[in-house]
């Protein structure tokens, strides 16, 4: 069976909103449990990530309108349109884990390569 390419909507969603695999997994974790509220430390243990990674991920997801936050606890709380995109991402991740993680990691490599182009180098 030939591999299906990632849907453009998923690619765009990742490029616009997902910066790390930990961030994506935090989003999918909360999406799967929409009635539950989680603190960053609890989520970090569940997702085998550092608390710092999860704090940064949750702050970005909250800023982008995917989560609500009260007293340091986060809950999935997105508009129907955004919730549909997250559901599409969850489905794609079940079947296309490698292409999705490659896209996320590639995005970081491209950002690093771009910023490296502006570093001053001393000629020897």
């Amino acid at each position: 069976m030939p591999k299906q390419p990632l849907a453009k909507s998923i690619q765009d969603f990742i490029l616009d909103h997902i910066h790390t695999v930990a961030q994506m997994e935090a989003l999918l974790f909360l999406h799967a449990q929409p009635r539950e509220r989680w603190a960053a430390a609890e989520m970090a243990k569940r997702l085998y990530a550092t608390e710092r990674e999860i704090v940064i991920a949750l702050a970005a997801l909250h800023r982008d309108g995917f989560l609500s936050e009260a007293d340091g606890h986060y809950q999935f709380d997105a508009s129907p349109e955004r919730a549909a995109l997250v559901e599409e991402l969850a489905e794609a991740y079940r079947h296309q884990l490698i292409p999705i993680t490659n896209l996320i990691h590639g995005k970081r490599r491209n950002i690093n390569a771009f910023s490296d182009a502006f570093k001053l180098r001393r000629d020897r």
Side-chain angles (χ1 to χ4, degrees), residues 31 64-68 76-87:
H31 172 261
D64 286 353
F66 294 99
L67 310 178
S68 60
F76 186 78
D77 185 20
S79 68
E81 296 81 18
R82 286 183 183 252
L85 283 169
V86 176
E87 182 58 39

Side-chain angles (χ1 to χ4, degrees), residues 32-48:
Q33 305 173 69
R35 291 187 175 95
E36 307 238 358
R37 299 183 83 73
W38 289 84
E42 297 168 319
M43 286 188 64
K45 289 177 188 171
R46 289 283 185 109
L47 298 175
Y48 303 103

Side-chain angles (χ1 to χ4, degrees), residues 20-30 43 47 93 97:
T20 65
V21 172
Q23 182 184 24
M24 180 186 60
E25 293 200 349
L27 177 61
L28 295 178
F29 179 82
L30 290 171
M43 286 188 64
L47 298 175
Y93 193 53
L97 181 135

Side-chain angles (χ1 to χ4, degrees), residues 63-105:
R63 182 191 65 238
D64 286 353
F66 294 99
L67 310 178
S68 60
E69 184 272 331
D71 299 322
H73 288 75
Y74 292 84
Q75 181 175 17
F76 186 78
D77 185 20
S79 68
E81 296 81 18
R82 286 183 183 252
L85 283 169
V86 176
E87 182 58 39
E88 189 179 349
L89 174 63
E91 181 63 24
Y93 193 53
R94 283 190 276 279
H95 304 287
Q96 297 178 292
L97 181 135
I98 300 300
I100 288 173
T101 55
N102 285 343
L103 179 61
I104 294 167
H105 292 303

